[in-house]
Amino acid sequence: MSGIVGANFTKDSGLLRSHKFQRFTATGTWVKPSGITVVYIECIGQGGGAGGGVSNSGSDSHQAGGGGGGGASIAHGVFNAASLPSTLTITIPNTGGVGGSVGNNGTSGSSGSVTADSKIIVQAYGGGAGAGGATGVGGAAGGGAGTGGTGTAGSGGTSGNGGAINPTGGSHGDSLAGRGAMGGPTNGEGYNAEYGGGGGSKSGTTQTTAGAADGGSSLFGAGGGGTGASHGAVAGVGGEWGSYIPGGGGAVGNPGANGDSRGFGCGGGGSGGTNNRNGGNGGVPGGGAGGGGCQPNSSGGGTGGNGGNGEVRIWTW
């Protein structure tokens, strides 16, 4: 891509000793400082919202929790300052993906981006939404974001696919895409990813023997959310960032714990099936949300958590 340059970030170069940093958490305008030579831009997309859990007045051991939202990806670029205009438009939607109500899908996360002269120069994609639980069907996971596209939402019993791999690399970087878990008889842990966000989890089976379904983790992106608890089962822990092992993010609880915000967002924890059954929100930036838990014989099923918002970070030297 035109304008991208290599940079020798060594101790002797002086670049690390004299830099300026700006962080954008909402849409705004970056103004190029005077006297700079190198600009490094980093974008993180938004996490996917999670699905809500089932709730009705009948006793049904097949009632299920909602699926977790997918985590967001990261994109970055290094530019010669002289190649950039005097201002850049920072585009970040106001919130991450919105959690679903009882039995309904959440909304997929959006992208964070930087534009110049109406052309996107760096863009990071968001995670897919988790599906709401249904009687006899566990909430399917949202797919994690890839470097070339947003993860897709879960639907029915099928989890969303991971976002596409960006084939050209460049400012978006070459990476693997995240993807949502398909689930299984005992667990449905989210898949892990390199740069793409970790896939969200799925409830797996909706029988009372169902195991926890943790969110997938991501080495360089945000973690996916854990699933909400099905009837008689436990919920899933959110995924971590900087890891390639599912779980490690927001804890299971009533409600599910929000994901931590430690550089990149961790996935939110799924909710259990008692008391407050709402799923945890994804950590900022970009964490996928935790699914809502079910509650048989009650109207108190939990809503899915909201995905973590995106960010744009700019360093100049």
Side-chain angles (χ1 to χ4, degrees):
M1 172 175 268
S2 176
I4 298 177
V5 298
N8 181 19
F9 294 100
T10 66
K11 180 178 178 181
D12 295 331
S13 68
L15 291 176
L16 296 179
R17 297 196 300 270
S18 58
H19 73 276
K20 296 179 181 179
F21 171 73
Q22 288 182 273
R23 177 183 178 221
F24 291 84
T25 58
T27 296
T29 301
W30 175 78
V31 178
K32 183 167 64 174
S34 61
I36 63 170
T37 57
V38 177
V39 180
Y40 174 74
I41 299 171
E42 182 175 87
C43 296
I44 303 99
Q46 298 187 306
V54 170
S55 176
N56 61 33
S57 59
S59 177
D60 188 342
S61 64
H62 291 212
Q63 294 186 44
S73 68
I74 181 175
H76 50 82
V78 184
F79 298 84
N80 184 326
S83 72
L84 299 178
S86 59
T87 62
L88 293 174
T89 301
I90 309 298
T91 305
I92 305 174
N94 291 333
T95 60
V98 178
S101 57
V102 174
N104 295 327
N105 283 339
T107 302
S108 297
S110 302
S111 301
S113 63
V114 177
T115 61
D117 299 327
S118 300
K119 181 180 180 182
I120 296 175
I121 60 172
V122 181
Q123 182 173 20
Y125 296 95
T135 301
V137 179
T147 53
T150 298
T152 62
S155 178
T158 303
S159 293
N161 293 317
I165 298 170
N166 179 19
T168 60
S171 68
H172 299 273
D174 293 314
S175 75
L176 301 176
R179 55 178 176 166
M182 297 303 294
T186 57
N187 67 72
E189 292 179 336
Y191 287 97
N192 305 307
E194 305 289 343
Y195 282 84
S201 61
K202 180 186 174 184
S203 295
T205 178
T206 58
Q207 302 293 334
T208 58
T209 56
D214 298 336
S217 298
S218 178
L219 289 177
F220 306 110
T227 188
S230 298
H231 175 57
V234 294
V237 175
E240 175 68 281
W241 75 273
S243 172
Y244 214 75
I245 301 173
V252 172
N254 296 296
N258 295 334
D260 292 331
S261 299
R262 293 173 276 151
F264 297 101
C266 299
S271 172
T274 59
N275 302 320
N276 186 332
R277 290 162 288 278
N278 296 333
N281 297 327
V284 176
C294 77
Q295 179 63 11
N297 304 310
S298 169
S299 59
T303 59
N306 297 328
N309 200 14
E311 288 187 4
V312 174
R313 305 163 179 173
I314 301 179
W315 289 261
T316 58
W317 291 268

